[in-house]
Amino acid sequence: MAARRLTEAGMTVLERNWRCGRVGEIDIVARDGDVLVVCEVKTRRSGTFQHPMEAVTAAKASRLRDLAERWLSRHGGAPPGGVRIDLVGVLLPTRGAPRVEHARGVA
């Protein structure tokens, strides 16, 4: 659902679930024009304590920036437009269709 939302927004998904050893994982790497987008995806059920869009803490943002640098070093460096970190939150209600939200530049 998250990759589909980004594609519908005009982005090109380059990789999904890119792992970097024990450092961590980037859920989605995409291109938005000349910008590289590192996208964190969080899914929550309705009624849980935390909304998915609240999931990127300062520590998580720092780890995502580190992972983005590692991805860039292995794939030829930063594009002309730089790098942006986005968040896609998926909320799964008890009934009805999931709600997908996309926040740009969260960290």
Side-chain angles (χ1 to χ4, degrees), residues 25-28 38-42 56 60 63-64 85-89:
E25 176 183 48
I26 299 174
D27 295 327
I28 298 174
V38 171
C39 188
E40 178 73 2
V41 179
K42 292 293 184 187
V56 177
K60 180 66 174 180
R63 192 165 84 236
L64 287 169
I85 297 176
D86 289 4
L87 173 65
V88 172

Side-chain angles (χ1 to χ4, degrees), residues 9 13 23 29 31 33 44-45 53 58 84 90-91 102-104:
V13 174
V23 177
V29 179
R31 277 275 238 197
R44 299 287 188 270
R45 295 197 181 284
M53 300 305 275
R84 185 178 77 221
V90 180
L91 190 61
H102 175 205
R104 296 170 184 253

Side-chain angles (χ1 to χ4, degrees), residues 34-38 68-69 72 78-79 81-85 107:
D34 65 350
V35 176
L36 183 80
V37 179
V38 171
E69 287 179 24
L72 289 169
V83 179
R84 185 178 77 221
I85 297 176

